[in-house]
Amino acid sequence: MPRPLLLYLCCTAAAFGPRPQRRPPPLLKSSQNPVPPEDRPDRPPGIDPTQLPDASTAAGVAQILEVTFVNACMQLATGYVDTLKLFIAAALTAYERGFTVNALSLELAQCPQQTAGRPLMQEEVELRSVWLSLVYLTLANVRHESEASESVGASVPAEIRSQFQTFVYDVVNAAQGGYTLESLKLEDMLRRQGTDSESLGAVEKAILGQSMRVVFLTLTVRD
């Protein structure tokens, strides 16, 4: 069975070293969307944030998550993370407004737009849910303010929580201890959790590597 394209692109991105961090786009505040990032001649096609939907409703945030997820997967394969930051900024706004992961998932399931030009495959939907949940777990870990902090923090699906909660905790601690995405090695993180990296397949390592990136970028966007 062919590997889902977006998942393949994310795995391909793991082969690229992280590029130098540029100034993150401003957070989504109420219905205000971030301004476009600084233009660069080598920047791949991205999204004009001023054209994104209103972020003040769960439906609006879901539309932003839908379009930014697909574009972030394609952009990651080139080593850029601007669109991933927009995805994270939308998820952060949802967290602040008290929109649960389940509420956003329901809105995403009903979202009429198909940025990929087709319905997402199940593996791609699951990857999007993991990214969203990673943002929520990270924000809950650092006690980020929310209009409904208890419900949003507890809204991460149990399966994802059990798989990533300790991972997120360790990555956040490493970041707060002075590590950067460039200096923190996935193998070291797995060793701290008693996991042998050699026991993981290439796809699993790639997903964990991107998960570590999502946690770091969530801390960056939050600041």
Side-chain angles (χ1 to χ4, degrees):
M1 181 178 178
R3 181 184 300 173
L5 175 60
L6 299 181
L7 183 60
Y8 172 77
L9 290 172
C10 287
C11 294
T12 302
F16 290 79
R19 291 183 179 268
Q21 293 292 310
R22 295 179 297 280
R23 184 178 62 183
L27 303 184
L28 296 172
K29 294 296 185 181
S30 301
S31 62
Q32 299 298 313
N33 291 321
V35 298
E38 177 187 358
D39 190 31
R40 294 172 59 92
D42 60 345
R43 183 183 304 282
I47 296 173
D48 179 356
T50 63
Q51 302 301 313
L52 292 174
D54 182 0
S56 64
T57 66
V61 172
Q63 291 179 53
I64 298 174
L65 293 174
E66 195 280 336
V67 66
T68 54
F69 171 73
V70 173
N71 282 277
C73 288
M74 295 187 289
Q75 195 182 69
L76 277 174
T78 69
Y80 282 86
V81 295
D82 294 318
T83 309
L84 178 55
K85 287 179 181 179
L86 292 178
F87 177 94
I88 291 170
L92 185 147
T93 295
Y95 184 95
E96 291 178 340
R97 289 183 167 277
F99 302 149
T100 64
V101 173
N102 183 58
L104 292 174
S105 297
L106 289 174
E107 293 290 350
L108 281 164
Q110 300 173 32
C111 186
Q113 64 191 27
Q114 294 183 355
T115 303
R118 56 169 175 78
L120 296 186
M121 298 178 69
Q122 183 60 33
E123 293 89 341
E124 295 164 341
V125 172
E126 291 172 358
L127 179 62
R128 184 177 63 192
S129 181
V130 166
W131 283 8
L132 175 60
S133 297
L134 285 169
V135 176
Y136 272 47
L137 287 172
T138 303
L139 295 174
N141 186 277
V142 298
R143 301 184 184 279
H144 190 77
E145 292 185 3
S146 170
E147 294 179 11
S149 55
E150 291 188 8
S151 61
V152 293
S155 69
V156 173
E159 181 178 356
I160 296 178
R161 179 181 298 277
S162 64
Q163 182 179 359
F164 286 100
Q165 186 163 19
T166 300
F167 180 84
V168 169
Y169 176 83
D170 288 342
V171 174
V172 169
N173 279 350
Q176 293 175 337
Y179 280 94
T180 65
L181 181 59
E182 292 82 0
S183 64
L184 185 61
K185 304 301 181 185
L186 177 61
E187 291 75 12
D188 295 335
M189 290 299 305
L190 294 175
R191 193 178 301 114
R192 294 181 188 185
Q193 299 176 34
T195 302
D196 181 6
S197 62
E198 297 299 323
S199 66
L200 301 177
V203 173
E204 291 176 296
K205 288 182 181 178
I207 291 176
L208 286 174
Q210 293 301 343
S211 297
M212 194 160 66
R213 184 189 300 267
V214 170
V215 175
F216 267 97
L217 289 179
T218 298
L219 297 174
T220 299
V221 172
R222 174 179 179 267
D223 293 338

